[in-house]
Amino acid sequence: MFHKRFVILIILYLTISKVIECLQPVEIIAIHNSTVLLVKNFPKSKALKLLWWENNRNDLLNKYGVGALDRYGDFRLVVHDFGAGYKVDTHTDQDSDLLCFYEMKEQANCLVKDALFAVNNYNPKKLNFTYY
């Protein structure tokens, strides 16, 4: 009897966790070079990442130019978790995992690399998705 209740509680917990995850809106923090999107609350599962892309692709293109084709007809977008925010690159070994945006005037213009999702169309007939 205890075992059955325990399993039901685990299933209930996982279901509620997934529902809460789905209800968290993705917050776009910044876009760099129209190819790097910094976000908070990005979905964790492959299916939800793909669903988010499909639901937001046109808005990203129309509002931010993300997903626009370059002169070769290609595009690439990498979604990174914003995490703790921008950091200063101190040019030490500890900062080797930073992704820096030198077009920013602020001294804190780097982010800890934490790619979540990428999409590109290097093959004109097919989108390629990478899940991290």
Side-chain angles (χ1 to χ4, degrees):
M1 186 64 125
F2 174 76
H3 179 60
K4 187 175 180 180
R5 285 184 185 174
F6 181 73
V7 170
I8 290 172
L9 283 175
I10 294 294
I11 292 171
L12 185 61
Y13 171 78
L14 293 173
T15 303
I16 290 172
S17 296
K18 283 295 178 186
V19 168
I20 289 171
E21 180 182 324
C22 292
L23 296 176
Q24 290 285 330
V26 174
E27 182 181 354
I28 296 173
I29 304 298
I31 298 167
H32 293 279
N33 303 324
S34 71
T35 60
V36 178
L37 187 65
L38 306 180
V39 299
K40 287 186 176 182
N41 303 324
F42 202 68
K44 302 212 182 327
S45 72
K46 287 182 180 182
L48 291 175
K49 288 176 181 182
L50 185 58
L51 182 63
W52 179 86
W53 167 253
E54 290 173 352
N55 289 338
N56 292 281
R57 180 179 185 178
N58 290 333
D59 285 344
L60 290 170
L61 177 61
N62 296 331
K63 288 182 184 177
Y64 308 109
V66 171
L69 301 179
D70 65 15
R71 65 179 180 220
Y72 304 108
D74 298 331
F75 82 91
R76 178 166 174 76
L77 172 68
V78 181
V79 178
H80 283 269
D81 184 21
F82 190 64
Y86 293 109
K87 296 180 161 222
V88 175
D89 185 358
T90 59
H91 303 287
T92 62
D93 287 344
Q94 289 82 6
D95 291 342
S96 63
D97 64 340
L98 293 180
L99 175 62
C100 296
F101 307 103
Y102 297 109
E103 73 276 7
M104 292 177 63
K105 303 291 185 210
E106 295 82 7
Q107 192 174 10
N109 62 359
C110 299
L111 191 73
V112 174
K113 293 178 189 173
D114 189 5
L116 303 170
F117 177 73
V119 59
N120 67 58
N121 78 328
Y122 294 134
N123 177 346
K125 297 179 183 177
K126 181 181 174 187
L127 288 177
N128 298 308
F129 299 100
T130 305
Y131 303 94
Y132 301 96

